[in-house]
Amino acid sequence: MKELILEAASGRSRIAIGSGAISGLSDAMAGRRALIVTDSNVGRLHSALFPQGAEVMGIGLGEESKTLETVESIYSRMLELELDRSSLIIGIGGGIVCDVAGYAATTYLRGMGLVLAPTTLLAQVDAAIGGKNGVNYKGYKNLVGTFRQPEAVLCDIRALRTLPTEEMRNGYAEVVKQAAIGDADAFAYLEERADEALRLQEDELERMVSDSAAIKAAIVQADEKEAGERMKLNYGHTIGHAIEKVAKVRHGEAVAAGMIAEADISVSKGMMERKDRERLSSLIGRLGLPVSVDADRELIIDAIRKDKKRRGGGIRMPVLDGIGKARIVDVTLEEMKDAIRDMP
Ligand code: GLY
């Protein structure tokens, strides 16, 4: 079992990663009344691991459930159960459960206890770490939300055994991204042990999840409210989000292809050697992720142009400064167009 501490202005999180980490929920309850928020898939697969004595409620599956209506349904349950500020909300599930449970817990009675037990790779390395809670509103992702660190994040590696391969790949895209922006040794470890991770070997998964969580935790600790440093976590996502709008691909696939196109920007700016760009594309390919997508390049450029307008002008975005380091720089629309048109 590995343990990290994330200290930020909004709170302190203890992050535990390992096989059996979810059994720490009983201790985390510390005698408090608790409501578990989960979804039907997670309930079916993992309810035997839920702590005794907590109430359980399920929310709907998928992005459509990440709404204020879902949050209201949690408030109603809290009211029925007469929970108070000394009570605890426990989110057990993927990113949507963590974001929604976090938002309900941090707004009800102006904030009650929150513990997360993420059960997907993506949630273990990204959504559950860093204290962003929230829901979508009127078609805008994460428009309404709060920043507050959960008291504990318990990442149980065993939960990953039941995850579909495509869902593991979504997580791997973020694992690669986090190593690429923040830790050359973690990147080298991924290159060395990608095959063991794909076979779900626990030691390798534990190391990969804890390296990735540590990279994110250090970034969040330096810049919780995303004034600069935290923007690095968006590496691969500027082009990735545009790809996602245009092509029917999963988030991880779009981010993987986005990382390669954005690495080409680094190469053309002289910030990254071509051999490092090849290391990135080779690792992405080995993890079963695409280095490009079959989509109209001009539509992807159009989506970037619209996003640029929405954000008011230039494209300020993170790009790699070699493997293991990122920098926030200005990228011109011309540089962006070249990278997208030249996508492999
Ligand atoms: N998912 C990016 C962040 O937490 O800032």
Side-chain angles (χ1 to χ4, degrees):
M1 192 80 63
K2 298 216 160 50
E3 202 165 294
L4 317 162
I5 300 292
L6 189 172
E7 282 259 25
S10 75
R12 177 184 202 266
S13 266
R14 181 175 64 83
I15 305 168
I17 301 126
S19 194
I22 203 169
S23 62
L25 281 174
S26 304
D27 283 348
M29 277 169 68
R32 290 175 287 183
R33 300 181 60 217
L35 171 63
I36 293 175
V37 177
T38 187
D39 67 36
S40 52
N41 269 347
V42 175
R44 184 169 46 80
L45 294 166
H46 303 299
S47 61
L49 304 172
F50 291 3
Q52 298 291 309
E55 297 285 335
V56 180
M57 82 167 277
I59 64 167
L61 297 170
E63 201 64 29
E64 308 78 65
S65 304
K66 208 173 147 177
T67 60
L68 288 173
E69 288 73 35
T70 304
V71 173
E72 261 191 74
S73 71
I74 302 174
Y75 293 155
S76 297
R77 194 85 176 99
M78 290 166 164
L79 199 57
E80 268 167 31
L81 294 168
E82 299 180 11
L83 298 186
D84 60 26
R85 273 206 201 126
S86 68
S87 312
L88 181 68
I89 296 300
I90 302 175
I92 307 181
I96 290 162
V97 164
C98 293
D99 286 2
V100 171
Y103 185 67
T106 55
T107 48
Y108 193 76
L109 294 175
R110 300 194 177 85
M112 45 200 291
L114 172 67
V115 170
L116 299 174
T119 54
T120 65
L121 182 59
L122 186 59
Q124 292 187 354
V125 300
D126 190 17
I129 313 279
K132 278 187 180 174
N133 312 292
V135 294
N136 303 331
Y137 187 65
K138 293 200 189 289
Y140 293 96
K141 286 186 95 170
N142 302 317
L143 192 70
V144 177
T146 58
F147 280 103
R148 210 197 71 203
Q149 304 304 326
E151 335 174 340
V153 182
L154 306 176
C155 303
D156 199 324
I157 298 301
R158 281 179 314 183
L160 305 180
R161 280 193 209 143
T162 51
L163 217 57
T165 309
E166 314 81 68
E167 191 46 54
M168 278 303 275
R169 287 194 188 125
N170 268 337
Y172 278 131
E174 300 297 331
V175 168
V176 171
K177 176 207 76 183
Q178 262 146 227
I181 63 169
D183 188 340
D185 290 341
F187 192 92
Y189 184 80
L190 287 174
E191 292 179 303
E192 207 180 288
R193 300 294 174 92
D195 299 335
E196 286 82 354
L198 286 173
R199 289 199 299 271
L200 302 182
Q201 306 277 311
E202 287 189 1
D203 288 351
E204 281 74 11
L205 280 178
E206 182 180 297
R207 162 89 190 259
M208 286 173 193
V209 173
S210 60
D211 278 354
S212 201
I215 295 162
K216 179 159 183 186
I219 289 176
V220 171
Q221 201 156 282
D223 172 30
E224 185 181 28
K225 297 273 175 73
E226 206 163 350
E229 185 74 5
R230 190 166 182 163
M231 284 166 66
K232 290 181 181 172
L233 292 166
N234 292 332
Y235 175 61
H237 287 65
T238 310
I239 295 180
H241 280 150
I243 291 174
E244 226 174 337
K245 283 194 187 115
V246 171
K248 292 277 158 277
V249 293
R250 293 176 151 264
H251 180 71
E253 294 169 337
V255 169
M259 283 195 277
I260 298 300
E262 292 179 19
D264 284 336
I265 296 176
S266 294
V267 173
S268 65
K269 279 182 176 295
M271 292 170 62
M272 184 167 167
E273 290 183 45
R274 179 147 287 279
K275 70 171 177 27
D276 286 337
R277 185 265 192 217
E278 300 314 325
R279 280 177 68 192
L280 181 66
S281 67
S282 149
L283 178 59
I284 283 174
R286 280 175 64 204
L287 292 168
L289 287 159
V291 293
S292 187
V293 287
D294 183 18
D296 185 328
R297 306 301 191 245
E298 298 311 312
L299 290 180
I300 299 174
I301 292 169
D302 228 43
I304 299 258
R305 216 185 263 119
K306 283 194 188 118
D307 192 40
K308 176 173 172 281
K309 252 195 212 135
R310 193 170 69 77
R311 288 187 292 169
I315 309 169
R316 199 153 170 74
M317 58 186 266
V319 293
L320 293 184
D321 195 3
I323 295 284
K325 247 169 79 192
R327 250 198 294 155
I328 314 293
V329 298
D330 290 314
V331 174
T332 65
L333 190 58
E334 286 315 308
E335 286 174 308
M336 189 65 107
K337 282 184 190 167
D338 287 346
I340 294 170
R341 288 189 180 131
D342 292 347
M343 269 164 68

